[in-house]
Amino acid sequence: MAAACAVAVRAEEPGVAARHGVEAKLEYCKTCHGLSGQGYRGYFPMPRLAGQQPQYFENQLRAFIERRRSNPIMANVAHVLSPAMISALAAHFKALDPKPFGSAPHGSSELGKRIYEDGIPEANVPACSACHGADGKGQNEIPRLAGQLYDYTVGQLEGWSKVRGQGSAVDTSAIMAPTSHNLTKSQVEAVAAYVARLQ
Amino acid sequence: MKRIGLTILVLAFAGWTAPSSAWEDGPAQVRNCTWCHGMAGQGYTVAPRLAGQRPDYLESQIKSFREHTRDNPFSKQYMWSAVAAVGPLEARDLAVYFASIAPKPASDGDRQLAARGRTIYLEGIPEANVASCYACHGPNAEGVRDIPRLGGLAFPYLKMRLEQWSQGYHSGTGTPMPTVARSLGPAEIDALASYLSFVR
């Protein structure tokens, strides 16, 4: 009887080798990126993946694998993903539509809206909406920005060339390098606050 | 009636303590915490170290004991009644007080497991869907906002908490820890708790 119990308990025991497949991988992604893919604020901001463009999503995972995009955590995470798994994850997250994570500071949203819709011609900053869409949903390799975590967008725009487009391979992230460079800190914060609230 | 009983107990404790200059700058109720959490808040047996913990975390845990959302056995047995008379302002004062004390690492884990624990802490185990701890708890396990500092907590406490998450006990709301901990086996928990106990 005791032995039977011991076996039963053992079978229930959580273990590192026990979970496989797409469902287990999704649960793993969502421990950091939020239970509905809405993003999460840990020590680092974990970006929203919900509603993300699949082509962008897959490009970024490949960029982590090929070290074109530097991120110590995501390099390891992406390294073990098969191409089929990457496609399955991209399709799953595309279909999610939770409310924005929130936590963007109030106040600067008006300026953000103006920059997003009209750009800053005198500073050579094009309108974000020209590529990312008026609703911020993105298209193809151009990411969705709507509902993105404020801290994440600020961090990316401020450190663009340090974390993206590494190595010699051609990378679509180069498009954003001059624009991110031409934005001041307060303009970055205004745009990030604006897109954080877009549904 | 229960509340009166507790107040008497609190007063009795307060009157009991020998005069000590160490407490003069802290809130009055500090003494009641240090009975279990150690004279300088460095933790004692099952009572975790409070010194150097993130103040927002301490505050949120006092709230979760008050609201009975943190429901593991020791919380139920000790902390639910211990904080019953602690209001939000006192909770903030206590949190700020303990957060300001320099923490000492417990260093009571298995040194031979520490390297494995460090790897899991930083990278997780991607092929087994074990998430990196570092992403939320920070490069030096220092925590941020209401995400707790883990570095230097005692091995038995860290081990017990990691086990309890996957046993169905709760803490605050909206934490990913039950999912995270479910992916850890006993060997990973021992390694993580060992590594963290040495982090300064």
Side-chain angles (χ1 to χ4, degrees), chain A residues 16 25 27-28 41-44, chain B residues 126 128-129 135-136 145 182:
Chain A
V16 292
K25 189 58 77 180
E27 190 178 68
Y28 164 72
R41 281 180 93 207
Y43 190 89
F44 304 100
Chain B
N129 298 322
C136 284
R145 300 183 306 275
R182 201 160 55 230

Side-chain angles (χ1 to χ4, degrees), chain B residues 3 6-7 10 29 66 80-87 90:
Chain B
R3 190 155 190 142
L6 187 80
T7 309
V10 166
Q29 297 195 349
R66 274 178 64 92
W80 284 12
S81 56
V83 303
V86 178
E90 292 158 308

Side-chain angles (χ1 to χ4, degrees), chain A residues 24-193:
Chain A
K25 189 58 77 180
L26 281 168
E27 190 178 68
Y28 164 72
C29 300
K30 290 173 181 178
T31 54
C32 283
H33 291 276
L35 295 177
S36 319
Q38 76 276 28
Y40 189 74
R41 281 180 93 207
Y43 190 89
F44 304 100
M46 263 67 81
R48 175 189 175 106
L49 303 179
Q52 191 50 274
Q53 293 295 335
Q55 199 177 327
Y56 173 78
F57 187 103
E58 296 192 27
N59 273 347
Q60 294 310 301
L61 284 172
R62 275 196 294 274
F64 290 128
I65 295 169
E66 294 162 12
R67 311 279 165 157
R68 283 179 281 116
R69 183 169 171 186
S70 8
N71 181 298
I73 293 171
M74 285 307 298
N76 294 314
V77 169
H79 194 70
V80 301
L81 302 177
S82 67
M85 180 65 87
I86 289 178
S87 299
L89 298 176
H92 175 87
F93 281 106
K94 169 65 178 159
L96 299 180
D97 189 25
K99 290 225 173 308
F101 181 85
S103 88
H106 288 280
S108 50
S109 200
E110 268 312 299
L111 173 63
K113 184 177 162 67
R114 211 174 332 129
I115 297 171
Y116 189 87
E117 290 175 353
D118 305 330
I120 313 167
E122 64 275 22
N124 223 0
V125 172
C128 314
S129 63
C131 293
H132 293 276
D135 54 3
K137 300 266 166 70
Q139 55 175 327
N140 304 322
E141 73 271 41
I142 297 163
R144 175 193 175 113
L145 303 178
Q148 191 51 275
L149 258 69
Y150 171 81
D151 315 27
Y152 175 76
T153 308
V154 170
Q156 294 302 303
L157 285 173
E158 288 191 331
W160 194 266
S161 305
K162 273 183 258 146
V163 293
R164 300 200 189 216
Q166 309 302 301
S168 54
V170 178
D171 191 309
T172 51
S173 70
I175 295 165
M176 277 298 296
T179 300
S180 62
H181 184 76
N182 291 339
L183 288 164
T184 67
K185 190 172 180 352
S186 61
Q187 289 163 346
V188 163
E189 289 168 354
V191 168

